[in-house]
Amino acid sequence: MAVSEVRTKSLSVQRRRRPVMRVVWDQFSSFLFVVPFLIAFVAFVGYPIVYGFIISLHHWNPIAGDLGYTGFGQYATLFDSNSLFGQQFWTGLKNTALFVVISVPFLLAFPATIAYLIYRSPLKSLFRSIFFFPTVLSVTAVTSLWSWILQTQGGAVNNLLQAHVPWLVEQPWAWISIDMATLWWTLGFNMIIAYAGFTQLPQSTIEAAALDGAGSLRTFWSIALPQIRPVLAFITVISTISSFNLFAQSLLMTGGGPGSSTEPLTMVIYNQAFNAMHMGSAAAMSYLMALILAIISLVQYRITRERA
Amino acid sequence: MKMDRVKRTISVVILSFGALCILFPIAWMISTALKPLSDAFDGQLIPSHPTLSNFTALFAPGAAGSVARWLGNSLFVSITVSVLVMIIDSMAAFALARLQFFGRTALFYVVVISLVVPFIALLIPLYLEFANANLLDTYWVLILPYTSNAFGVFLLYQFFLGIPKELEEAAMMDGVNKFQLWRRIMVPLSVPATATLGLLTFMNVYNDFFWPLVATTSQDMRTMTVGVQLMAVGQYNTNDSLLMALTLCSVIPMVLAFLFAQKQLTQGIATTGTNL
């Protein structure tokens, strides 16, 4: 504001003939550049955020529409442990949280180790390409592929292991299967980020450590890793967010089973909205989920900022 | 020196084992897609009766899925979105980085908000918004929601900030207006960054599953990712050779993108991590 007022004055001194119009046009023509983005934002982010909140305060059916205002009733239901929706919500959240806990450590450890090995070994670009490749595949291709090789009868993995593991149909194998497929699919993404972190390290520190007689493991653990701590923090935050949004792997590999043991929160919301047709309740669930995710991200961001 | 060679050998051995684990499922998919169904469970990596019959069956008239149509839908939608996002985000990023206007700071908040809102919070209102407008199951519903792409604004904004001011001033002296400045100077200079944005957008839209799953209902409007899922739980549930052939077809565009533009893809991903 202040800056533009100063500009207004200086411009009006310089160009006396059409000062006001000129400034207005200058501002307006600059603003025109952001109009397409603003329209897209308002239509497909801003408006839906508000609309979704209104829906969550009503009983809502996709065909009949608004079936009556309930205030925060549907949020309250989610905190009622005797209600069916509440039970579904917390079971889903528990499953999602479990997946975050069993996937994020691997999604940090494997990519960081592989990135460092590639960084210190020959054939860099070949290995980088191979480990990165699954990242470009769609989640349906990945799950279709893994469901086939993990079949109990005649699946390639059981053939290879000469075993009869019920990968997709019994616990804890169902979680292990989803975890393996997810790791296979996304480790390349995190590896690329970690690798970029390692390449920015000053070469001299690692050579100095080697001269001092530090072993390879020690150099990796005590010299290289601490230096890319901000990058590792970033990987942790984005992996937590993406694991929290687990959906397709459960839907397509285990169908949420056995029972509903691998049914994440996203799937509960999806079923509530598109199978049970309780749009209002599903909207309330998704807003609560977004809030929980926001709090987790904020806490992680704070912690990693302090340490980094 | 000798110790160094031992270490290198060890890391190559470990990496090769990892690479095998990555490649094995892909090799198995290709192998199954080339086998007749009767051999699908034979446990051989090299097909003993290799055949292309699964692929011809996929595209045969009267086949269970409309594979060619799904592929066409996916390509049309993801290319259109990429082009739109490149234009919209380039213009917005240019204005944010280079121009002064009322509400510029507010726009920054808008960008940040769109970056942090998770898709799940938008799923239901977006669906109902398009249902109210009677646009479900059309190309509109598959294209429009992706056009609000704040990540791209962020990426290009950082790029435009790095362009020297002198260049802009020289152009202004020559009497070009803002639009010409963007179109003739900024756009050509930002081709690498914009192409990276286009590629990442293409990849995200082509591979997206959740939104096309809920936004479309008719066989003709499905995208490739949803088609694979439909066939996996439906007609091809018992025909793994056909399913693997379909899965293989579904990944071909992304494999081509990987082969020809791997560098842009990995650089785009690497910048997101190291610029923070």
Side-chain angles (χ1 to χ4, degrees), chain A residues 72-139:
Chain A
F72 284 90
Q74 300 190 107
Y75 290 92
T77 309
L78 298 182
F79 289 98
D80 178 359
S81 56
N82 292 320
S83 79
L84 177 65
F85 294 171
Q87 282 164 11
Q88 286 173 339
F89 181 84
W90 293 105
T91 309
L93 182 62
K94 195 197 79 202
N95 290 337
T96 293
L98 179 64
F99 179 67
V100 171
V101 171
I102 62 171
S103 69
V104 174
F106 294 113
L107 285 172
L108 183 65
F110 274 90
T113 312
I114 290 169
Y116 186 72
L117 284 173
I118 294 176
Y119 173 63
R120 304 284 288 156
S121 85
L123 302 172
K124 288 181 178 43
S125 60
L126 174 71
F127 282 127
R128 248 159 52 102
S129 301
I130 293 173
F131 284 101
F132 175 68
F133 177 70
T135 301
V136 305
L137 305 179
S138 69
V139 70

Side-chain angles (χ1 to χ4, degrees), chain A residues 1 3-4 7 25-34 36-38 40-49 51-53 55 60-62 114 117-118 120-123 125 127-142 144-146 148-149 151 153-157 159-160 184 187 189-190 192-193 196-197 200 214-216 230-231 234 245 247-248 251-252 265-266 269-270 273-274 279-280 282-283 286-287 289-290 293 305, chain B residues 4 7-8 11-12 14-26 28-29 32 40-43 88-89 91-96 99-103 107 110-111 113-114 117-132 144-150 153 178-180 182 203 206-210 213-214 224-226 228-229 232-233 237 240 243-244 247 250-251 254-255 258 262 265-267 269-274 276:
Chain A
M1 276 297 276
V3 175
S4 63
R7 265 184 71 132
W25 170 245
D26 187 54
Q27 291 259 324
F28 182 70
S29 61
S30 299
F31 180 73
L32 281 181
F33 281 92
V34 302
F37 176 76
L38 267 185
F41 168 81
V42 170
F44 309 118
V45 180
Y47 170 72
I49 291 177
Y51 186 41
F53 184 65
I55 292 167
W60 206 290
N61 179 290
I114 290 169
L117 284 173
I118 294 176
R120 304 284 288 156
S121 85
L123 302 172
S125 60
F127 282 127
R128 248 159 52 102
S129 301
I130 293 173
F131 284 101
F132 175 68
F133 177 70
T135 301
V136 305
L137 305 179
S138 69
V139 70
T140 44
V142 171
S144 159
L145 177 54
W146 276 85
W148 161 231
I149 66 171
Q151 284 195 6
Q153 296 284 343
V157 175
N159 275 347
L160 212 64
W184 181 85
L187 78 80
F189 189 92
N190 291 352
I192 291 294
I193 297 175
Q200 289 184 344
S216 301
V231 177
F234 176 72
N245 285 308
F247 173 67
L251 184 75
L252 304 177
L265 192 46
T266 48
I269 294 169
Y270 169 76
F274 299 102
M279 289 285 177
S286 64
Y287 272 50
M289 173 177 166
L293 183 56
R305 258 290 156 97
Chain B
D4 243 28
K7 279 181 188 167
R8 278 166 165 244
S11 62
V12 169
I14 297 173
L15 287 172
S16 304
F17 175 75
L20 276 182
C21 294
I22 296 286
L23 292 176
F24 173 74
I26 294 165
W28 201 261
M29 164 176 73
T32 309
F41 289 91
D42 65 1
I88 293 173
D89 285 4
M91 286 173 68
F94 165 68
L96 279 175
L99 304 176
Q100 295 289 331
F101 58 94
F102 181 75
L107 198 72
V110 163
V111 172
I113 289 173
S114 347
V117 173
F119 171 71
I120 192 78
L122 300 175
L123 172 70
I124 290 151
L126 263 183
Y127 174 85
L128 290 174
E129 185 183 354
F130 279 92
N132 294 342
L144 289 177
Y146 299 112
T147 55
S148 175
N149 183 319
V153 177
K178 279 178 231 165
F179 184 77
Q180 290 165 328
W182 173 69
M203 177 168 116
Y206 184 88
N207 285 343
D208 196 18
F209 168 68
F210 207 158
L213 173 72
V214 302
M224 206 61 192
T225 49
V226 182
V228 171
Q229 181 252 345
V233 298
N237 193 6
D240 294 291
L243 183 60
M244 287 305 113
T247 307
S250 81
V251 303
M254 282 317 304
V255 173
F258 170 81
Q262 192 202 345
L265 279 173
T266 50
Q267 272 173 358
I269 292 167
T271 20
T272 59
T274 46
L276 287 163

Side-chain angles (χ1 to χ4, degrees), chain B residues 27-123:
Chain B
W28 201 261
M29 164 176 73
I30 297 169
S31 154
T32 309
L34 293 173
K35 285 176 188 173
L37 181 59
S38 51
D39 286 359
F41 289 91
D42 65 1
Q44 305 290 322
L45 184 60
I46 311 294
S48 35
H49 310 95
T51 170
L52 290 175
S53 63
N54 295 313
F55 294 94
T56 47
L58 275 185
F59 290 96
S66 335
V67 182
R69 170 92 195 189
W70 295 335
L71 194 59
N73 286 348
S74 280
L75 288 175
F76 172 67
V77 166
S78 36
I79 290 171
T80 310
V81 170
S82 304
V83 172
L84 286 173
V85 163
M86 285 190 283
I87 297 170
I88 293 173
D89 285 4
S90 175
M91 286 173 68
F94 165 68
L96 279 175
R98 292 308 199 164
L99 304 176
Q100 295 289 331
F101 58 94
F102 181 75
R104 194 166 154 274
T105 324
L107 198 72
F108 266 109
Y109 287 111
V110 163
V111 172
V112 173
I113 289 173
S114 347
L115 277 176
V116 296
V117 173
F119 171 71
I120 192 78
L122 300 175
L123 172 70

Side-chain angles (χ1 to χ4, degrees), chain A residues 55-77:
Chain A
I55 292 167
S56 74
L57 303 179
H58 294 73
H59 288 294
W60 206 290
N61 179 290
I63 297 135
D66 188 357
L67 297 176
Y69 178 75
T70 64
F72 284 90
Q74 300 190 107
Y75 290 92
T77 309

